[in-house]
Amino acid sequence: MVTWLNSDAPVPYTAAEAEMEARVEAILRGAGDETVWLLEHPPLYTAGTSARPEDLRDPDRFPVYPTRRGGQYTYHGPGQRVAYTMLDVAARGRDVRRFVWSLEDWVIRTLDRFNVKGERREGRVGVWVVRPELPPGPDGSLHEAKIAAIGVRLRRWVSFHGISINVEPDLSHFDGIVPCGIAEHGVTSLVDLGLPVTMADVDTALKEAFAEVF
């Protein structure tokens, strides 16, 4: 059984980490259900275990939180749906790569409900969209932008952290970092793509797609 939580007010990052810790420990003790927590954060940057100092372009812009999830620098803030997944990966095959692939699949299926084609890219964790209406890159390749980030951590095969989908965040807030260490591609959101999507719409799509993947 998976319990779904939804926080209406932005959740401070340290409070979210503490809640995840408590729920993961409960799952490990057999005293709690797997949980997906839907929330937003106030504007902040997080630094994953592979974060490079030079990728923090504006260290004084927002609070910066080191975190033990995989990945590099990520922005979280209002208008971005964060889904923290506290799931039993052991019961899902003990395959970390497969678990990350499943998280990406979850996002892709969620986006598909809004007729947005999310795509994987080799060597780049997360989900991307092609923007053919924008100028191509210097090599003539089509413009690509990241619409969702993924970062996970495991403790005895129970997962922390999860995914974030850009619904309607202030995209200029990403300028303070090199998002996920990738400078040559931009970021986008559902509203930036011209879709009048609400957070509630995304939550409904996430729940439907989760049932298909997990």
Side-chain angles (χ1 to χ4, degrees):
M1 176 181 174
V2 176
T3 296
W4 288 79
L5 303 176
N6 195 311
S7 295
D8 294 328
V11 179
Y13 192 75
T14 53
E17 282 200 312
E19 181 66 19
M20 279 193 285
E21 289 276 353
R23 288 186 175 271
V24 166
E25 286 301 319
I27 293 168
L28 289 169
R29 293 196 314 270
D33 294 329
E34 295 182 296
T35 302
V36 178
W37 184 12
L38 304 177
L39 69 150
E40 295 172 80
H41 284 303
L44 58 90
Y45 299 128
T46 64
T49 54
S50 302
R52 299 175 299 194
E54 63 270 24
D55 287 346
L56 183 58
R57 292 169 163 166
D58 190 353
D60 299 322
R61 188 168 189 176
F62 299 124
V64 180
Y65 295 95
T67 179
R68 286 175 282 180
R69 64 156 175 79
Q72 302 187 38
Y73 281 105
T74 299
Y75 167 76
H76 294 308
Q80 181 191 72
R81 175 51 86 215
V82 174
Y84 285 139
T85 52
M86 290 143 277
L87 301 176
D88 185 349
V89 180
R92 293 176 165 81
R94 292 178 180 264
D95 186 330
V96 177
R97 288 180 182 270
R98 177 69 185 182
F99 181 63
V100 172
W101 189 94
S102 295
L103 291 174
E104 291 174 338
D105 194 32
W106 180 27
V107 172
I108 289 168
R109 288 169 182 260
T110 298
L111 296 174
D112 185 61
R113 283 162 163 77
F114 304 106
N115 295 315
V116 173
K117 185 181 180 183
E119 300 179 357
R120 296 178 177 88
R121 287 293 180 266
E122 186 69 29
R124 297 190 235 146
V125 175
V127 177
W128 303 77
V129 294
V130 176
R131 306 287 305 273
E133 76 279 11
L134 297 179
D139 61 354
S141 60
L142 291 175
H143 183 96
E144 295 179 353
K146 192 168 191 175
I147 195 166
I150 295 173
V152 296
R153 170 188 164 208
L154 299 182
R155 176 182 297 158
R156 289 158 47 200
W157 293 105
V158 176
S159 64
F160 290 74
H161 302 282
I163 68 169
S164 59
I165 298 176
N166 296 331
V167 181
E168 193 179 8
D170 185 336
L171 295 178
S172 71
H173 289 179
F174 287 88
D175 295 344
I177 57 172
V178 177
C180 301
I182 299 169
E184 62 269 27
H185 299 286
V187 292
T188 190
S189 69
L190 288 167
V191 170
D192 184 50
L193 293 173
L195 300 168
V197 176
T198 68
M199 202 66 77
D201 295 332
V202 172
D203 291 349
T204 298
L206 281 167
K207 291 178 181 179
E208 292 174 352
F210 185 90
E212 296 173 359
V213 176
F214 294 100

